[in-house]
Amino acid sequence: MLNSPPPSRPTLSARDLAVVWHPCTQMRDHEFVPMIAIERAEGAWLHADDGSRYLDVVSSWWTNVFGHRHPRIVAGLKDQLDRLDHVMLAGMTHEPAVALAEELVRVSPPGLSRVFYADNGSSAVEAALKMSFHYWRNEGQPGRKRFIALAGGYHGETIGALSVTDVELYRNTYAPLLFEPVLAPSPDAYFREPGESAEQHAEAALVGMRRLLEKHAHEVAAIIIEPLVQCAAGMRMHAPDYVVGLRALCDEFDVHLIADEIAVGFGRTGTMFACGQASITPDFMCLSKGLTGGTLPLSAVLTTERVHEAFYAEYAEGKAFLHSHSYTGNALACRAALETLGIFRDEPVLERNRLLATRLRERLAGLADHPNVADVRQTGMIAAVELVNDKTTREPFPASERRGLRVYLHGLERGMILRPLGNVVYFMPPYCITNEEIDLMVDVAIEGIERAVR
Ligand code: PMP
């Protein structure tokens, strides 16, 4: 009898498609979009099981700041695993949670002195919204139960975070489940009038915000924003003046300011936190993503002594903040975050990023003249190219044409994870990227854009 060949083992990608339901994905797309199986990662590169490799241009959904498996973070995690894996944070504490809170307070805008942990970005936003509402309730103003959110803002996809999100793609289907925020005009500089500066556009958005506050402040707990860059909306950027003016309005109308720095924190915009460019302190600052250097899920809400005090009372008064996640303050995640902050402390990260950002700016400059590019914009280590159907009217390509997907597929062919947001091709690489890799990244993006606009 002839030997039959041994049954070939299905590939990891095939096994995946039989059982895993992927985030933010029409699963049927994988009938023609390859599922990339990543075996290992190092620095800015992801290595697939078929021997190919991909430059992680989007820092694995904006989480990875120093590259994959940074030796300092890896060593810290190994050491931590030998001591303590996880313990609930109610009634107990541990060195990484305490040391991390101390360090976060040290590096964050002055006045933020209390750290509440959660385990992902959306749950940090949920905690901040609840904490703001609860603060006013504890202060005898239970009627303050609304939030002001910006047009184009994104804060996550759980019910509360999605309620204050204004990106159609994520919100529309679930709108019947959500609460309605007061929606304020965005300072998004892409929509400035001809001849109007980004600063003037921000000023106009502040006038709109003032009108809303005059009408609604009595029922509003907080305003929530993504300072400087509305990332999920397509890396839309605004002048720091807006954040300065918004802080002043929040003070004038006695409304909290929640700064969602989940995507823009940790050096992305050129300063440690985006709020730093406006020299303001928000009442709540939400952090996640880069917090652990992109290794483990963790988030934190930083707030002020004033807020903390409003909850500090006799148990019977029922003022305690009731919000908990099982993995709150996970020891491994806190240790990874401590090492991440250690790298910021011990290495000239922001200075190095300035040079990389300059290189990126220079390499992208030529695209401004492209007939299908309406805007090339950059804030620190975030850059974006807005593709349009018509350069003069800025008419976008219809979403149904999925031009961005063509860029994505081209990137895969050329060993690169470019993952456009609709018609916006963007660059948000790990800070370990080299000048040569920046050049390659831009070259491949330009090729992809050429193919996509044809
Ligand atoms: N806020 C912002 C500004 C974000 O960019 C994100 C994630 N893209 C979130 C909140 C939600 O974070 P997570 O995906 O960890 O829930």
Side-chain angles (χ1 to χ4, degrees):
M1 213 172 88
L2 285 173
N3 277 338
S4 55
S8 64
R9 202 171 143 67
T11 62
L12 189 55
S13 305
R15 283 166 53 210
D16 173 283
L17 290 171
V19 285
V20 181
W21 193 339
H22 286 260
C24 204
T25 299
Q26 169 47 263
M27 290 300 294
R28 195 176 162 175
D29 277 1
H30 284 297
E31 291 184 9
F32 65 95
V33 175
M35 174 60 65
I36 313 294
I38 301 300
E39 217 167 46
R40 73 193 165 82
E42 192 155 0
W45 291 90
L46 305 169
H47 297 264
D49 65 349
D50 63 358
S52 55
R53 63 175 200 158
Y54 300 89
L55 186 64
D56 191 359
V57 174
V58 299
S59 292
S60 292
W61 263 344
W62 322 338
T63 60
N64 197 296
V65 285
F66 297 126
H68 293 270
R69 295 193 308 106
H70 188 286
R72 179 165 177 172
I73 302 176
V74 170
L77 279 174
K78 285 182 175 168
D79 176 67
Q80 188 57 41
L81 256 179
D82 284 336
R83 296 164 192 266
L84 171 68
D85 45 5
H86 176 69
V87 64
M88 66 179 175
L89 208 64
M92 274 163 246
T93 193
H94 49 77
E95 175 67 25
V98 177
L100 176 59
E102 289 169 346
E103 193 61 8
L104 284 172
V105 165
R106 194 183 70 77
V107 298
S108 61
L112 295 173
S113 56
R114 297 281 169 172
V115 178
F116 186 89
Y117 290 116
D119 47 24
N120 61 72
S122 302
S123 47
V125 170
E126 300 285 343
L129 297 174
K130 283 173 69 179
M131 212 182 252
S132 173
F133 161 77
H134 199 163
Y135 168 90
W136 293 113
R137 188 175 184 272
N138 285 351
E139 293 288 286
Q141 298 192 54
R144 289 196 186 236
K145 54 188 180 192
R146 298 197 70 187
F147 296 92
I148 299 183
L150 297 195
Y154 175 99
H155 301 286
E157 291 163 53
T158 52
I159 299 295
L162 190 57
S163 293
V164 289
T165 287
D166 179 51
V167 178
E168 262 181 40
L169 176 68
Y170 306 109
R171 192 179 208 282
N172 281 10
T173 308
Y174 307 101
L177 304 179
L178 308 176
F179 65 74
E180 276 301 315
V182 177
L183 201 64
S186 170
D188 181 351
Y190 184 68
F191 291 117
R192 63 190 184 274
E193 300 295 328
E196 193 185 32
S197 69
E199 287 74 17
Q200 288 164 332
H201 193 67
E203 195 53 47
L206 287 169
V207 172
M209 182 63 87
R210 171 178 288 283
R211 274 196 220 108
L212 290 176
L213 284 167
E214 281 163 357
K215 189 163 166 214
H216 294 287
H218 67 283
E219 55 171 351
V220 166
I223 300 175
I224 183 164
I225 61 156
E226 293 167 86
L228 300 191
V229 188
Q230 293 186 304
C231 294
M235 304 299 162
R236 292 291 181 70
M237 300 174 183
H238 56 258
D241 293 15
Y242 180 77
V243 184
V244 178
L246 193 61
R247 176 69 267 181
L249 283 174
C250 287
D251 289 342
E252 184 182 336
F253 288 89
D254 204 15
V255 161
H256 288 146
L257 177 59
I258 303 174
D260 177 349
E261 295 237 9
I262 289 163
V264 294
F266 301 103
R268 269 292 160 204
T269 66
T271 42
M272 186 63 172
F273 299 109
C275 285
Q277 290 182 49
S279 302
I280 64 115
T281 300
D283 299 282
F284 302 91
M285 186 163 82
C286 301
L287 302 174
S288 189
K289 292 193 186 276
L291 173 59
T292 60
T295 53
L296 286 165
L298 180 69
S299 61
V301 180
L302 273 64
T303 190
T304 61
E305 220 46 36
R306 176 183 166 201
V307 169
H308 187 261
E309 272 166 19
F311 290 78
Y312 199 82
E314 285 294 334
Y315 181 80
E317 288 182 54
K319 288 184 170 178
F321 185 51
L322 295 177
H323 187 97
S324 53
H325 297 288
S326 313
Y327 283 100
T328 290
N330 173 265
L332 289 163
C334 286
R335 181 64 186 268
L338 255 183
E339 301 300 341
T340 301
L341 290 181
I343 297 169
F344 275 105
R345 199 181 47 235
D346 298 340
E347 296 181 25
V349 177
L350 299 177
E351 287 80 352
R352 258 188 344 232
N353 280 4
R354 231 165 272 146
L355 301 176
L356 294 170
T358 303
R359 177 78 165 213
L360 183 54
R361 191 181 302 276
E362 287 166 2
R363 289 307 316 273
L364 284 173
L367 267 175
D369 298 326
H370 191 284
N372 291 103
V373 171
D375 193 28
V376 180
R377 50 184 174 265
Q378 186 176 349
T379 301
M381 288 295 279
I382 308 176
V385 177
E386 185 102 22
L387 303 183
V388 285
N389 200 8
D390 185 318
K391 196 177 175 91
T392 39
T393 62
R394 291 193 159 187
E395 177 207 340
F397 285 112
S400 59
E401 291 179 5
R402 305 186 76 184
R403 304 274 175 165
L405 181 61
R406 300 187 203 177
V407 178
Y408 174 73
L409 292 170
H410 177 77
L412 292 186
E413 274 177 30
R414 297 279 276 114
M416 199 163 287
I417 310 294
L418 288 162
R419 204 170 187 278
L421 292 155
N423 291 320
V424 177
V425 179
Y426 74 89
F427 308 88
M428 203 155 164
Y431 308 159
C432 64
I433 195 164
T434 62
N435 282 338
E436 293 68 33
E437 286 163 347
I438 287 178
D439 296 352
L440 176 68
M441 172 174 94
V442 173
D443 288 346
V444 172
I446 292 172
E447 290 164 17
I449 289 169
E450 289 301 347
R451 274 177 78 172
V453 300
R454 243 181 248 152

